[in-house]
Amino acid sequence: MAADMSASASCGDSARSALDPDALRRGVLDNLICLQARPLAIATPHDWYMALAYSVRDRMLARWAATIQTYAARELRVACYLSAEFLIGPQLGNNLVNLGIEAEARAAMQSLGQDLDGLIALEEEPGLGNGGLGRLAACYLDSLATLQIPSVGYGIRYEFGIFDQVIRDGRQVEATDKWLQKGNPWEIVRPNVNYYVRFGGHTQVENDAQGRYCVRWIPAHMVKGVACDTPMLGFRVNTCNTLRLWKSEAVESFDLEDFNAGDYYQAVQEKVISETLSKVLYPNDEPEAGKRLRLAQQYFFVSCSLQDMLRLLDIKGEPIARFSDMFTVQLNDTHPSIAVAELMRLLVDERQVPWDEAWNITRGTLAYTNHTLLPEALETWGLPLFRSLLPRLLEIIYEINRRFLDEVRQRYPGDDARVARMSMIDEAGEKKVRMAHLATVGCHAVNGVAELHSALLKQTVMRDFAQLWPERFKNVTNGVTPRRFMLLSNPGLARLLDKTVGEGWATDLTRLRALESHADDPGFLDEWRRVKYSNKAILAQHIRSTTGVEVDPAALFDIQVKRIHEYKRQHLNALYIVTLYQRLRRDPQLAVAPRCFVFGGKAAPGYAMAKLIIRLINGVAEVVNNDPSIAGRLKVVFYPNFNVKNAQFIYPAADLSEQISTAGKEASGTGNMKFMMNGALTIGTLDGANVEIREEVGEENFFLFGMTDSQVEELRRDGYRPADFAAGNGELRDALDLIVSGHFSRGDRDMFRPLVDNLLHADPFFVLADYADYVACQERVNSAWHDMRRWTRMSILNTARSGKFSSDRAIGEYCHEIWKIRPVSVALERL
Ligand code: 26Q
C-alpha cells in the first residue's frame, strides 16, 4: 500500500525523471521559468547552470525516494559517517557521470544554445573541509552509495567553508568563501527535522518519579539544529544516500522571557551566538585552535546526529537495546569523539538505560579512525573550557575514566605512571581532556589510514592502549574515488581505458592490470602520451589565465599540491629548484630536462612558517621564470586557491608527483593515489601510503629517497645538527646563501631569514638531512625522462597497478572488518 501511494506522488512527470535529451531539455526550460523565474531572453549563464542543476537533481530524487523507502522497509544496519568536514567538490559534473547522462545533458544544452562544460565550470564548490580528511569523507560517500551500503554522512553545514586563497605580491591573502552567495541547488533544507542542543549551565542530582537517582542538566542556553540534506548518488546504481549537515538556529526568534524582563539585548545576543555556531569552518594547523566555538561546533553536530539516529529507531519501533544492530557510527578523527559521552548521556539521562547496558551499546556502535601521528595535533580541550560549555558531558567522561582506570590498575597493579599516561585527563600542568583517549576507550575499533601509520600508532601515541587491547587496533588504508578523479577529471584517459581494458574498470579498479600487456606496444604508448600531452595543454591554459605564466606542455610537469606544512616539505622541493637554477646559471650549456614545477595549497592563516614557504616559492618563481639565462627551461608556478575544482585538471596533467614528507609524519596521503591513477610517477619517501604505492607499482617504477622513519628517529635521538649538513654540502650552502642574500626577495635580506635560520638551527622535519638524497633522486628522474619510452611505460604501469587505492576497496574493508554490514540493492520499480 505504501509503495502504491508513493507511486502517484513520485516523479511521474517525465520532464522530471526521464533521462533522454528531449526530456532533459523540457526539464531545464521548466526549471528555468518556474524555479529560477527567468524568462529565456534574459537568462544568464548562471541561470542556465541552476536550471540544469535542478533538472539533474529532479532525476536523483526519484532514486533518493526509492532508497529511503527500501531502507525503511527492511531490517538493516546503517553506517553513519560522522565528520566535521566533507569536501565534496562541485556536484553537477559528478552527478551527470554517476547518472550516466553526460552525453544527453550535452545534447540537451546544445539544443538550448548552451555549452555544458561552460556551465559545469560555473559551479562554486562547497569548501566544507581543509584537505585530506574532508576529501576522504567525500570519496567514502561516493563509494558507500556505489557499493549500495545503507549509510548517512553527518556533519556541519558551514556558511563559510575554507577561505579562498589569493596571491598578492607573492603572499597568501585570505578571502571569505562565497559558496552560498548564489544559492545551492543541491541542498534540501528540512525545517521539520530539528533537534535542540544544550550548552553551559549546571547539573543537579534528583530522584525521578520512580525514585531513581538521576542527573538533570540545566543549560544556560539551547541551540536548534536543522537538517540540510544533499543527495549522494552512487555510480550507475539506484542507491542515493544522504549527506545530512546541521545548520544552527536560535531556538526562538528571541527569548521572550529575557525580552519581558527588559533584557532585549541579551536576547538578541543569544540569537546571534546560536546562529554563529555553524558559521565558519576552522582551518587546521592553527596554533590557537583551542577555540570555544570549535568545541561547541563539534558537540552540536554530534548531538544532532545521535538524536537523529534515536528518532529513526523510534520511528522503526525498535527498542533501545537494538541501537547497535541498527547503527554503526564511524568517527572521522577525534573531532566527533564527544559522541562517546553524548551517546552515554542520551541513553542514561534521557532514556534511563542502566550505565553498563548503555556502555555496551555505545562501545558496540562506535569506531574511531585516527589520521595523525603528530603529538601536537592530537586534540585536547582545557578542563575549565570543557566544564563551562559541557558540564554534564565532563561528569560522564570522569565516570567513564574512573571505571576505565580501575581496569588499568587491575591489569597493571602499581603502575601509576601507566595510569597517568592512559587517563582521559592530562593532569600534567593545566588539566586537559584527551579526546583520542576518550575515543579509544569508547570504541570497539580504532584504525589508522595506511599500513605504516597503523603500525606506528601502536608503537607510539597509542602504545599503552594497543598493549591493553591489541584486538581493537586495525588498519584500513585510505582510497580515493576513481569516478571523480579519473572518469570525470580525465575523460581522455577514461576513453582510452574503456577501449583498452573494457568498461567496468571504474567500479573494479583492479581491472586496470590488463593495461600491463600493452605497456610495450609502441602504438599504445603513443596514444598514452597524447592523452597526457593534451591534459598538460589544458593545465597550461589554466596557468596562463590565472597567473600569466607561459609553460610548455612538452616540459616535465612536476607537481606538489597539498596543504602547506613544514612536515610536507614544500621547502625541500624549493631548495632543489634553487639548486637547479644555480647549476644552470653557472653552466648555461648544462643539459637538463625542461621542467615545469607546479605548487598549490593553502596555509593556515596563523601558520607563519607555512606562509613564508608560499612567499619563497613565489619569489623563486618570479626570478627563475624571468631569468634570460634559464631561457624557459625551468618554470615555477604557484597555482592559487588549490581546491577540488582545480585539482580535477591538475592531477591528470602531472608527470611527476611529489610526496616528500618526513618519514613517519604523513598518516597516509591521498593526493599520492590520485596522481598515480592518472599516470604520474612518484618521487617520494617511505611515508604513509607511499610505502604501499611503491609495493604495488614495483620499486623500479618509483623514485625513492630519504631516511626511513626509524632512521629519522635515530638521528633525532643522536642529536640532529642540521648546520653540519649544510657545512658538508656546497650546493646546499649555496642555495641557502642565495635565499638569504635577497635574490628571491627583491634585495630584502630579512624576508627569508626566519625560514633559513629555522632550517639551520632546528629543522624539525629533517629537510637538510634529506636534501642530498633528494637531489640525487631528482637526477634519476631527469635521466628517466630522457628515455621517453621507458617513462611512458612506467606511467602506464602506475595507472595499471593503482587498483588497490580505489575507495571502493577501502569501504569494502570497513564494511567487512569494522561495520559488519552488507549491500542492499535498491529497485527503482518501488516507485
Ligand atoms: C582540529 C581542531 C581545531 C581546528 C581544526 C582541527 C583540524 C581540522 C582538520 C585538525 C585536522 C584536520 C585535518 C586533518 C587531515 O586532513 N589529515 C589528513 O587526513 C588524510 C586522510 O586520512 C591523510 O591522508 C593525511 O595524511 C592526513 O594528514
Side-chain angles (χ1 to χ4, degrees):
M1 179 61 190
D4 287 345
M5 291 268 301
S6 57
S8 54
S10 83
C11 307
D13 172 6
S14 77
R16 293 202 164 211
S17 59
L19 301 177
D20 60 285
D22 198 50
L24 261 174
R25 178 194 150 92
R26 278 183 283 130
V28 170
L29 286 173
D30 267 14
N31 284 328
L32 184 71
I33 292 159
C34 301
L35 267 176
Q36 282 302 103
R38 274 296 190 178
L40 234 112
I42 59 164
T44 63
H46 189 263
D47 294 324
W48 285 109
Y49 157 75
M50 291 293 271
L52 175 59
Y54 279 119
S55 307
V56 172
R57 193 183 85 174
D58 287 340
R59 278 142 187 86
M60 295 165 71
L61 292 184
R63 286 160 179 81
W64 203 9
T67 304
I68 289 164
Q69 289 185 48
T70 304
Y71 294 171
R74 293 198 30 188
E75 210 172 90
L76 43 77
R77 178 182 267 189
V78 180
C80 303
Y81 199 83
L82 263 63
S83 178
E85 309 191 356
F86 286 93
L87 197 45
I88 61 177
Q91 294 296 290
L92 176 57
N94 199 247
N95 288 331
L96 289 172
V97 163
N98 283 10
L99 272 170
I101 58 165
E102 245 190 311
E104 290 79 356
R106 192 175 302 281
M109 296 321 287
Q110 195 173 16
S111 79
L112 294 163
Q114 300 298 314
D115 167 47
L116 180 65
D117 299 318
L119 298 183
I120 289 175
L122 285 178
E123 183 170 345
E124 285 286 345
E125 72 176 78
L128 309 188
N130 273 284
L133 167 146
R135 183 54 232 177
L136 184 78
C139 284
Y140 281 0
L141 292 185
D142 183 73
S143 284
L144 282 164
T146 300
L147 295 175
Q148 304 179 289
I149 306 298
S151 52
V152 185
Y154 280 114
I156 302 171
R157 189 227 190 230
Y158 301 105
E159 201 174 316
F160 295 96
I162 189 75
F163 60 87
D164 281 338
Q165 178 192 58
V166 180
I167 302 297
R168 203 175 294 151
D169 299 327
R171 291 182 195 279
Q172 167 175 300
V173 176
E174 298 90 22
T176 54
D177 161 47
K178 294 172 260 324
W179 78 287
L180 284 173
Q181 238 168 38
K182 292 182 173 175
N184 173 10
W186 307 105
E187 170 181 83
I188 288 148
V189 184
R190 301 197 185 282
N192 58 325
V193 181
N194 66 75
Y195 302 97
Y196 288 2
V197 180
R198 300 168 209 216
F199 290 101
H202 64 279
T203 64
Q204 61 194 39
V205 174
E206 288 177 357
N207 288 315
D208 68 6
Q210 282 77 46
R212 282 174 305 204
Y213 164 95
C214 63
V215 177
R216 212 151 84 96
W217 175 8
I218 294 124
H221 44 255
M222 301 257 249
V223 174
K224 185 163 87 172
V226 175
C228 301
D229 290 352
T230 303
M232 290 284 140
L233 178 66
F235 178 73
R236 312 283 156 97
V237 290
N238 293 323
T239 301
C240 186
N241 289 328
T242 303
L243 169 58
R244 176 159 285 179
L245 303 178
W246 302 102
K247 166 168 92 175
S248 67
E249 282 185 3
V251 167
E252 302 299 338
S253 60
F254 49 79
D255 194 311
L256 276 180
E257 227 172 275
D258 284 341
F259 186 54
N260 291 339
D263 201 349
Y264 175 76
Y265 294 100
Q266 177 60 33
V268 173
Q269 185 60 22
E270 297 265 309
K271 179 173 156 64
V272 169
I273 292 170
S274 304
E275 286 167 358
T276 303
L277 230 150
S278 60
K279 260 297 166 229
V280 60
L281 165 76
Y282 276 91
N284 59 353
D285 308 322
E286 281 288 345
E288 236 302 271
K291 302 252 170 62
R292 189 183 180 83
L293 187 60
R294 168 81 185 180
L295 179 59
Q297 286 182 337
Q298 295 182 353
Y299 178 63
F300 165 74
F301 97 89
V302 164
S303 181
C304 289
S305 309
L306 291 171
Q307 291 186 58
D308 201 37
M309 293 172 217
L310 283 165
R311 186 192 65 131
L312 281 165
L313 193 81
D314 293 343
I315 289 175
K316 277 213 166 188
E318 296 279 0
I320 203 85
R322 294 251 306 139
F323 191 86
S324 57
D325 300 324
M326 302 270 298
F327 299 101
T328 174
V329 173
Q330 193 68 33
L331 306 178
N332 199 20
D333 215 307
T334 51
H335 315 154
S337 60
I338 189 69
V340 174
E342 175 64 359
L343 186 50
M344 287 300 288
R345 188 190 71 80
L346 289 167
L347 296 174
V348 173
D349 290 2
E350 311 247 309
R351 305 245 174 170
Q352 287 76 48
V353 178
W355 182 280
D356 290 319
E357 192 188 336
W359 185 241
N360 284 336
I361 293 173
T362 298
R363 283 219 20 241
T365 304
L366 305 178
Y368 155 54
T369 305
N370 171 290
H371 296 264
T372 188
L373 287 163
L374 302 180
E376 67 271 22
L378 291 175
E379 246 185 329
T380 59
W381 297 104
L383 218 54
L385 163 66
F386 208 106
R387 184 181 292 113
S388 74
L389 195 65
L390 307 170
R392 179 58 184 145
L393 287 121
L394 187 62
E395 290 174 2
I396 291 172
I397 291 173
Y398 265 97
E399 180 60 14
I400 296 171
N401 197 37
R402 188 184 65 75
R403 290 164 182 249
F404 164 63
L405 292 182
D406 279 350
E407 199 182 323
V408 176
R409 285 192 193 96
Q410 228 166 54
R411 176 74 188 273
Y412 304 97
D415 194 345
D416 292 343
R418 184 184 296 260
V419 171
R421 286 199 308 272
M422 296 183 81
S423 174
M424 284 168 212
I425 311 296
D426 181 354
E427 313 242 357
E430 211 166 284
K431 286 191 187 175
K432 295 188 196 92
V433 186
R434 294 164 163 158
M435 301 310 276
H437 293 204
L438 175 65
T440 304
V441 175
C443 292
H444 67 276
V446 178
N447 74 283
V449 290
E451 292 285 354
L452 175 67
H453 170 233
S454 297
L456 291 175
L457 263 184
K458 290 193 270 184
Q459 290 164 31
T460 61
V461 288
M462 291 284 157
R463 187 189 171 108
D464 294 320
F465 292 94
Q467 283 173 3
L468 183 61
W469 299 310
E471 68 295 339
R472 200 173 289 194
F473 287 80
K474 316 210 162 151
N475 172 252
V476 181
T477 298
N478 283 168
V480 304
T481 173
R483 271 76 65 183
R484 181 177 290 271
F485 290 104
M486 299 182 77
L487 262 183
L488 177 63
S489 308
N490 198 342
L493 179 65
R495 270 191 301 273
L496 181 56
L497 295 177
D498 283 348
K499 194 172 83 176
T500 315
V501 306
E503 288 180 24
W505 55 269
T507 46
D508 177 6
L509 208 62
T510 58
R511 289 204 205 167
L512 294 178
R513 284 262 172 197
L515 285 173
E516 287 183 26
S517 61
H518 302 263
D520 291 307
D521 166 359
F524 186 73
L525 263 65
D526 269 350
E527 286 189 88
W528 192 268
R529 258 196 300 270
R530 270 201 292 275
V531 168
K532 183 61 84 181
Y533 186 92
S534 72
N535 292 335
K536 290 161 75 175
I538 292 168
L539 177 58
Q541 176 62 45
H542 284 288
I543 289 173
R544 183 182 313 123
S545 62
T546 50
T547 69
V549 178
E550 291 285 340
V551 302
D552 179 0
L556 190 173
F557 276 31
D558 174 336
I559 308 188
Q560 186 172 20
V561 283
K562 49 181 79 232
R563 285 296 288 255
I564 311 294
H565 200 294
E566 289 165 277
Y567 86 76
K568 296 176 187 281
R569 301 198 295 191
Q570 282 92 354
H571 44 346
L572 175 57
N573 189 345
L575 277 176
Y576 172 64
I577 300 174
V578 172
T579 301
L580 257 187
Y581 167 72
Q582 295 265 61
R583 286 184 186 173
L584 275 172
R585 284 210 308 168
R586 286 196 187 127
D587 176 8
Q589 309 313 319
L590 194 73
V592 297
R595 266 210 219 197
C596 170
F597 296 89
V598 179
F599 292 85
K602 295 174 186 177
Y607 187 173
M609 194 58 81
K611 290 183 135 177
L612 198 52
I613 292 174
I614 294 180
R615 182 66 192 84
L616 174 65
I617 293 165
N618 282 308
V620 172
E622 177 180 283
V623 170
V624 169
N625 295 346
N626 299 306
D627 187 322
S629 71
I630 300 304
R633 285 175 293 174
L634 304 181
K635 283 283 165 76
V636 182
V637 173
F638 190 92
Y639 199 96
N641 203 36
F642 179 60
N643 59 12
V644 178
K645 189 174 176 176
N646 53 46
Q648 287 175 200
F649 51 77
I650 292 176
Y651 293 121
D655 294 306
L656 187 67
S657 155
E658 296 270 354
Q659 306 301 335
I660 61 179
S661 52
T662 314
K665 301 298 173 198
E666 189 71 270
S668 161
T670 43
N672 46 3
M673 303 169 184
K674 297 165 195 167
F675 279 113
M676 181 196 198
M677 286 178 185
N678 285 284
L681 279 57
T682 303
I683 180 166
T685 49
L686 284 179
D687 199 16
N690 296 353
V691 176
E692 290 155 78
I693 287 178
R694 180 165 172 267
E695 259 163 35
E696 293 293 305
V697 77
E699 57 178 70
E700 68 286 7
N701 301 305
F702 186 104
F703 296 103
L704 178 71
F705 77 96
M707 294 183 286
T708 62
D709 60 285
S710 30
Q711 289 168 334
V712 168
E713 274 326 300
E714 199 177 319
L715 182 53
R716 190 198 310 281
R717 265 200 313 274
D718 295 352
Y720 173 43
R721 291 211 306 264
D724 293 355
F725 284 84
N729 187 316
E731 281 200 309
L732 174 55
R733 223 172 32 238
D734 286 351
L736 293 169
D737 285 347
L738 195 63
I739 291 169
V740 283
S741 77
H743 191 78
F744 302 113
S745 40
R746 303 191 174 176
D748 181 346
R749 297 171 150 269
D750 298 327
M751 188 182 288
F752 299 123
R753 238 311 135 204
L755 198 153
V756 171
D757 279 349
N758 183 272
L759 285 179
L760 284 171
H761 306 301
D763 194 13
F765 298 103
F766 301 85
V767 173
L768 302 196
D770 268 346
Y771 166 88
D773 201 26
Y774 180 59
V775 172
C777 190
Q778 288 285 17
E779 294 314 299
R780 298 202 295 280
V781 170
N782 278 330
S783 46
W785 182 254
H786 283 302
D787 182 351
M788 209 13 87
R789 262 193 59 170
R790 175 170 162 233
W791 185 281
T792 308
R793 186 172 184 281
M794 292 196 282
S795 166
I796 294 167
L797 293 180
N798 267 273
T799 301
R801 297 171 181 175
S802 65
K804 175 176 178 183
F805 304 105
S806 166
S807 43
D808 297 346
R809 187 268 316 146
I811 285 299
E813 290 176 14
Y814 278 102
C815 287
H816 195 252
E817 311 290 330
I818 298 178
W819 302 335
K820 314 292 180 199
I821 179 176
R822 295 165 54 80
V824 172
S825 65
V826 173
L828 206 50
E829 292 79 63
R830 283 195 72 84
L831 292 171

